[in-house]
Amino acid sequence: MNDRFYLSLAINEAWKYQGLTYPNPAVGCVITDKNGAILSIAAHKKCGLPHAELEAAKEALSKLNPLLVFPLEPNELYDFIGKNHDNLLKNSTFYVTLEPCSHQGLTPSCANLIVTLGAKSVIIGMTDNTDNAKGGAQILKRAGIDVKTDILVEECGELLEPFLLWQNGSFSFFKLALRLDGTYDNGIITPHEARVFMHKIRSACDLIVVGGETLRADDPLLDARLTDSKAPDALICTKKTVQKKANVFSVKDRKTIIQNSLDFPKKYRNIMVEGGNNFLCAMSSRVDRFLIFRSCDFNLNGNKKIEADLKLKLLYQGIVDNCSFGWYRKERL
Amino acid sequence: MNDRFYLSLAINEAWKYQGLTYPNPAVGCVITDKNGAILSIAAHKKCGLPHAELEAAKEALSKLNPLLVFPLEPNELYDFIGKNHDNLLKNSTFYVTLEPCSHQGLTPSCANLIVTLGAKSVIIGMTDNTDNAKGGAQILKRAGIDVKTDILVEECGELLEPFLLWQNGSFSFFKLALRLDGTYDNGIITPHEARVFMHKIRSACDLIVVGGETLRADDPLLDARLTDSKAPDALICTKKTVQKKANVFSVKDRKTIIQNSLDFPKKYRNIMVEGGNNFLCAMSSRVDRFLIFRSCDFNLNGNKKIEADLKLKLLYQGIVDNCSFGWYRKERL
């Protein structure tokens, strides 16, 4: 199989964690051994967990030497792998969706890790132009590693763009949950595991935004209880007064803002907007992406529907617990 | 990576051709070389084209020896590969969604082909219990090949079941095309390449069924013109008289049946049902599967919607030309 195939596996893996990785980008990595057999398909899953390259190296080494016991903490893991790789990844190939980082951030440079491991070649989906991370390809080349860059720029660019928007100010997306027939109502639309996944994404956000209509109709907590995580701050956009005993106020350790305007307060950077038809129509020109869940049922009780005019581009689709979900952006005309 | 991973790649590839392979089943095959590197990911695409194993062997050999010029006709291809494989696939592993066939059908036995090529092991998603094809695993084992069976029975079973239904009488499915908002109307919903794909599937059917309402509102040709293929026979289920100049009558070399009843005539075996809400509600208990296309737009002009009560299970989803599509069956309660 060719470079594009392995990179596609890496891209696909990374999309599963889109929205969960701030302040890091969503990155995927595939390692093949010196003979071209796939050793691991991994992604950066969350800040505080290993970068994609380190995670992929760990998974590959754990297959090649099942006796290794890896430390959990990324810095310790990095050191451990540096000392215990035993040349098992010598002459391997790394396929990464983004140029491996050159810098010491929370963890040391991934480019240096790849050099230490003795990889033969690194196939890079797209170059990293961010100031503090760029230059990884140079490190690899100077070490005599065969480097190919910009193999799937468009696909890797779509994967990276939410992070770039976040880096340049803020990233916002509208989460919508519909049935197969396009309906929704005040009840639960999606299956349990899909809601756990949504709460995971909520917990990575610093702000969740709803309209007054949702607050009055659903009285939601807007927290991340299904993953036992801290709730994001909440913004209620409404012209009317909000019921004082609304559930949203009962969530600990979070701020709730009520305002008339639809503008996101400046300090927030990873913003999830939720709602139904009216809020979608009000917000569709303000958000960067759409995350749409679609359950697998037609339901006669679905009494609400979307009445909007939007042409979207499907960037990635997955399935969780018999529920389809997709990341979309607006079509560029 | 483990057996399940490679089998999943094979399953996924095979689903792309679901509905196109009659009178053969949809089967996928992945070949890895003696070191575990993937050489090919292939599927049976259509009757008259190679079985999955033969196609995968061809694709693998074409990579290993780019000078080989393969004949197109499957029997010639089978002979050619037998004479020219040059032991390039010696000690390879074949991952197949269904036990390789033992019998001489239109092409000779795939199990014998694998023996000829000198494979080391064959990983079989599910056993073939059909009378004329079963016994492939025995052939492989007798030749000293390491055989593992029934690795992903449920997933491979979902892939195979349309064929088994067809074999036991007939297979029917309801094709629906909706927008993201669940709406549809008398205009075109899905992009061009998605419609080409639908016509390809139509051309593999022997009967296309619509209700009188579709005939009167859309006056469709119900042919497979976008793929230059023969149109299936057409069945119009209606209680009213049909306009004599309806387009459906203008299609050459096909029979059009008009009847009051919703029963499919016995002679037809691969039956595509198309329509909107009323016909879906009338037919949902009569069809075996649902093929649902969903474009990526919300449209204010979408003036029709589905009002049904159906819980489905998503079996496979793909993307064609920015249009999502999925094969579904009813949830088994």
Side-chain angles (χ1 to χ4, degrees):
Chain A
M1 308 306 288
N2 62 19
D3 292 345
R4 298 168 68 94
F5 170 75
Y6 296 107
L7 266 181
S8 296
L9 291 179
I11 292 171
N12 209 48
E13 189 67 17
W15 268 109
K16 297 180 187 168
Y17 304 94
Q18 184 68 272
L20 300 175
T21 60
Y22 298 97
N24 297 320
V27 176
C29 177
V30 166
I31 303 177
T32 59
D33 70 13
K34 63 178 196 286
N35 297 310
I38 300 175
L39 292 173
S40 59
I41 301 172
H44 180 50
K45 293 176 180 164
K46 193 180 168 177
C47 175
L49 292 180
H51 284 191
E53 298 90 330
L54 183 60
E55 179 67 22
K58 182 188 100 174
E59 292 182 19
L61 288 170
S62 75
K63 265 168 218 159
L64 296 169
N65 182 358
L67 296 177
L68 287 173
V69 180
F70 296 91
L72 289 176
E73 199 282 318
N75 278 301
E76 290 173 25
L77 178 65
Y78 190 102
D79 288 344
F80 179 86
I81 286 180
K83 286 173 192 153
N84 294 281
H85 65 83
D86 221 4
N87 286 320
L88 289 170
L89 296 180
K90 186 135 186 101
N91 290 323
S92 61
T93 297
F94 280 65
Y95 298 87
V96 280
T97 59
L98 180 68
E99 186 178 355
C101 63
S102 62
H103 71 308
Q104 164 86 36
L106 285 178
T107 41
S109 150
C110 287
N112 285 333
L113 174 75
I114 296 172
V115 171
T116 302
L117 294 172
K120 183 182 60 184
S121 46
V122 177
I123 313 299
I124 296 172
M126 73 178 289
T127 305
D128 192 342
N129 293 316
T130 56
D131 280 340
N132 65 348
K134 72 181 178 187
Q138 275 309 318
I139 294 175
L140 299 169
K141 282 179 193 165
R142 274 204 301 270
I145 293 173
D146 182 27
V147 177
K148 282 192 225 168
T149 49
D150 295 334
I151 301 301
L152 280 179
V153 175
E154 197 185 321
E155 292 82 347
C156 292
E158 295 286 10
L159 173 66
L160 187 67
E161 207 174 298
F163 170 77
L164 295 180
L165 291 165
W166 175 88
Q167 206 173 39
N168 290 329
S170 71
F171 173 70
S172 60
F173 62 99
F174 197 102
K175 188 228 84 180
L176 195 63
L178 303 173
R179 297 197 183 85
L180 249 183
D181 54 18
T183 65
Y184 66 100
D185 50 48
N186 297 336
I188 286 168
I189 308 289
T190 50
H192 182 72
E193 283 307 315
R195 284 183 294 127
V196 171
F197 177 58
M198 277 188 248
H199 278 221
K200 221 185 245 184
I201 291 180
R202 273 188 185 174
S203 74
C205 293
D206 51 11
L207 186 68
I208 184 166
V209 184
V210 299
E213 192 182 329
T214 292
L215 202 77
R216 287 183 293 274
D218 291 352
D219 195 10
L221 284 159
L222 301 177
D223 63 358
R225 63 195 174 282
L226 298 178
T227 51
D228 280 328
S229 309
K230 189 189 171 312
D233 284 353
L235 169 65
I236 320 295
C237 299
T238 181
K239 289 176 184 167
K240 302 186 187 168
T241 48
V242 168
Q243 64 266 39
K244 274 187 187 159
K245 289 195 171 167
N247 283 325
V248 71
F249 297 115
S250 72
V251 179
K252 281 182 187 161
D253 301 326
R254 83 107 158 273
K255 194 174 155 187
T256 298
I257 306 160
I258 297 160
Q259 67 177 32
N260 195 329
S261 139
L262 294 174
D263 298 334
F264 305 131
K266 283 278 176 253
K267 66 176 265 205
Y268 295 104
R269 298 182 61 193
N270 186 22
I271 301 164
M272 182 169 185
V273 185
E274 294 193 22
N277 180 58
N278 291 342
F279 211 51
L280 175 70
C281 292
M283 284 294 192
S284 65
S285 62
R286 294 169 177 262
V287 293
D288 301 307
R289 293 291 182 275
F290 301 83
L291 173 60
I292 305 178
F293 287 79
R294 194 181 45 150
S295 73
C296 286
D297 56 324
F298 298 93
N299 189 319
L300 289 171
N301 299 322
N303 53 18
K304 299 186 184 182
K305 59 181 177 141
I306 303 295
E307 290 180 309
D309 220 346
L310 275 175
K311 279 187 197 310
L312 303 181
K313 162 115 180 119
L314 179 54
L315 305 171
Y316 168 78
Q317 65 179 356
I319 302 175
V320 52
D321 195 10
N322 197 36
C323 182
S324 175
F325 70 95
W327 281 99
Y328 301 79
R329 63 164 167 75
K330 264 187 248 174
E331 278 279 20
R332 287 163 192 149
L333 302 174
Chain B
M1 309 307 287
N2 61 20
D3 292 346
R4 297 167 68 94
F5 170 75
Y6 296 107
L7 266 181
S8 296
L9 291 179
I11 291 170
N12 209 48
E13 189 66 18
W15 267 108
K16 297 179 187 169
Y17 303 94
Q18 184 68 273
L20 299 175
T21 60
Y22 298 98
N24 297 320
V27 177
C29 177
V30 166
I31 303 179
T32 59
D33 71 13
K34 63 178 195 289
N35 298 310
I38 300 175
L39 292 173
S40 59
I41 302 172
H44 181 50
K45 294 177 180 161
K46 193 179 166 177
C47 176
L49 292 180
H51 285 190
E53 297 90 330
L54 183 60
E55 179 67 21
K58 183 188 99 174
E59 291 182 20
L61 288 169
S62 75
K63 266 168 217 158
L64 297 168
N65 182 357
L67 296 177
L68 286 174
V69 180
F70 296 91
L72 289 177
E73 198 280 318
N75 278 300
E76 290 173 26
L77 178 64
Y78 190 103
D79 287 345
F80 179 86
I81 286 180
K83 284 173 192 152
N84 295 280
H85 64 85
D86 222 3
N87 286 320
L88 289 170
L89 295 180
K90 187 135 186 100
N91 290 324
S92 61
T93 298
F94 279 66
Y95 298 87
V96 281
T97 59
L98 180 68
E99 185 177 356
C101 62
S102 61
H103 71 307
Q104 165 86 37
L106 285 177
T107 41
S109 150
C110 287
N112 285 334
L113 174 74
I114 295 172
V115 171
T116 302
L117 294 171
K120 182 182 59 184
S121 46
V122 177
I123 313 299
I124 296 172
M126 72 179 290
T127 306
D128 191 342
N129 292 316
T130 57
D131 281 339
N132 65 348
K134 71 181 178 189
Q138 275 310 317
I139 293 175
L140 299 168
K141 283 179 193 163
R142 275 203 301 269
I145 294 172
D146 182 27
V147 177
K148 283 191 225 168
T149 50
D150 295 334
I151 302 298
L152 280 178
V153 175
E154 197 184 322
E155 292 82 347
C156 293
E158 295 285 10
L159 173 67
L160 186 67
E161 206 173 299
F163 170 77
L164 295 179
L165 290 165
W166 175 88
Q167 205 174 38
N168 290 330
S170 72
F171 173 71
S172 60
F173 61 99
F174 198 102
K175 189 227 84 179
L176 195 63
L178 302 174
R179 297 196 183 86
L180 249 183
D181 54 18
T183 66
Y184 66 100
D185 50 48
N186 297 335
I188 286 169
I189 308 287
T190 51
H192 182 72
E193 284 307 316
R195 283 182 295 127
V196 171
F197 176 58
M198 276 188 250
H199 278 221
K200 221 184 246 184
I201 291 180
R202 271 188 186 174
S203 75
C205 293
D206 51 10
L207 186 67
I208 184 166
V209 184
V210 298
E213 191 182 330
T214 292
L215 202 78
R216 287 183 293 275
D218 292 353
D219 195 10
L221 285 159
L222 299 178
D223 64 357
R225 63 196 174 281
L226 297 179
T227 50
D228 280 329
S229 309
K230 191 190 170 311
D233 285 354
L235 169 65
I236 320 294
C237 299
T238 182
K239 288 176 183 167
K240 301 186 185 167
T241 49
V242 168
Q243 62 266 41
K244 274 189 187 158
K245 287 193 171 170
N247 284 324
V248 71
F249 297 115
S250 71
V251 179
K252 280 181 188 159
D253 301 327
R254 83 107 159 274
K255 195 174 155 186
T256 299
I257 307 160
I258 296 160
Q259 67 178 32
N260 196 328
S261 139
L262 295 174
D263 298 333
F264 305 131
K266 285 279 176 252
K267 67 177 265 205
Y268 295 104
R269 298 183 60 194
N270 186 21
I271 301 164
M272 182 169 184
V273 185
E274 293 193 22
N277 179 58
N278 291 342
F279 212 49
L280 175 69
C281 291
M283 283 294 191
S284 65
S285 62
R286 294 169 177 263
V287 294
D288 301 307
R289 292 292 181 276
F290 301 83
L291 173 60
I292 305 179
F293 288 79
R294 193 182 46 150
S295 74
C296 286
D297 56 325
F298 297 93
N299 190 319
L300 289 171
N301 299 321
N303 54 17
K304 299 187 185 183
K305 60 181 176 141
I306 302 296
E307 290 178 310
D309 220 347
L310 273 175
K311 279 188 198 308
L312 302 181
K313 162 116 180 118
L314 178 53
L315 305 172
Y316 168 78
Q317 66 179 355
I319 302 175
V320 53
D321 195 10
N322 197 36
C323 182
S324 174
F325 70 95
W327 281 98
Y328 300 79
R329 63 163 166 75
K330 264 187 248 171
E331 278 279 20
R332 286 162 193 151
L333 302 174

